[in-house]
Amino acid sequence: TNSAETFDNLNEMVTFFERTNSTLLFLNLECCGVVNERADEVANCIGVASGIVNSIRSIGCGNVGIPRDLMEKYGVREDDIYDPRRLIAENGDRRNAIRNAVRDMAVIAGKYLAHARKYQGSVASEQGGRSALLPAVSALRYLEWLESVDYDVLDESIREVEKVDSLNGRLWRLGHMVYLGLAWV
């Protein structure tokens, strides 16, 4: 499976992100001179969480993003994910199906970030190790925003965040800078 295909289940998705996103974070840590198992565990969790978050963000952008098991569980139709524009005005069962699947994915990503946060102290900050793990900030902020709209990826305010000139976009970046200033977690 690759990122352009649909994963069969969440476990397959997690394994894929462990082998892709996480390995890039391992490399970041190594480049900062941080080599220890606990730091790798933190990086692995952040890699998985950021991969899941990017899958959620890709819904409606030509990528299914939701594993097949969750699509079946909630009755999500592939055509609704590929082109969700017709669901934006609707607030019915099909839109709720996507919301429920996204909620399950976000909960898993959140658990991975919580685990990373628990052990972040084992990553040496004086060597730049924590800065190597900054993708955690983006993932965490997006999950918070997603929760604020009840996991509705079709909510207009989610799309507003990505508009540079919008008030929501500016507030998003300001909040992001605050998190970065706090050395992420």
Side-chain angles (χ1 to χ4, degrees), residues 14-145:
V14 166
T15 300
F16 178 79
F17 293 129
E18 286 175 337
R19 293 179 181 165
T20 55
N21 293 20
S22 297
T23 59
L24 291 172
L25 293 175
F26 299 154
L27 177 61
N28 287 350
L29 287 173
E30 288 175 26
C31 289
C32 293
V34 177
V35 181
N36 70 62
E37 285 184 37
R38 188 60 85 177
D40 283 351
E41 182 179 348
V42 171
N44 185 64
C45 289
I46 293 168
V48 170
S50 63
I52 293 172
V53 165
N54 281 329
S55 289
I56 293 169
R57 290 185 67 234
S58 74
I59 295 170
C61 299
N63 189 355
V64 173
I66 300 174
R68 283 188 185 96
D69 63 339
L70 291 180
M71 291 175 67
E72 291 171 10
K73 177 179 178 181
Y74 293 111
V76 175
R77 295 177 6 191
E78 243 180 78
D79 58 323
D80 288 341
I81 295 172
Y82 279 124
D83 187 18
R85 289 174 291 191
R86 66 179 164 265
L87 296 181
I88 289 174
E90 178 195 321
N91 210 10
D93 292 340
R94 288 170 47 202
R95 187 167 175 167
N96 285 332
I98 293 172
R99 178 183 292 154
N100 290 333
V102 166
R103 180 181 293 114
D104 283 6
M105 292 171 68
V107 165
I108 297 298
K111 287 180 181 180
Y112 274 93
L113 285 175
H115 188 79
R117 196 175 227 177
K118 181 178 177 181
Y119 294 107
Q120 72 168 341
S122 64
V123 180
S125 59
E126 66 277 356
Q127 293 174 296
R130 288 203 189 154
S131 63
L133 302 175
L134 287 177
V137 175
S138 299
L140 181 63
R141 292 283 294 141
Y142 187 79
L143 289 175
E144 288 174 350
W145 195 275

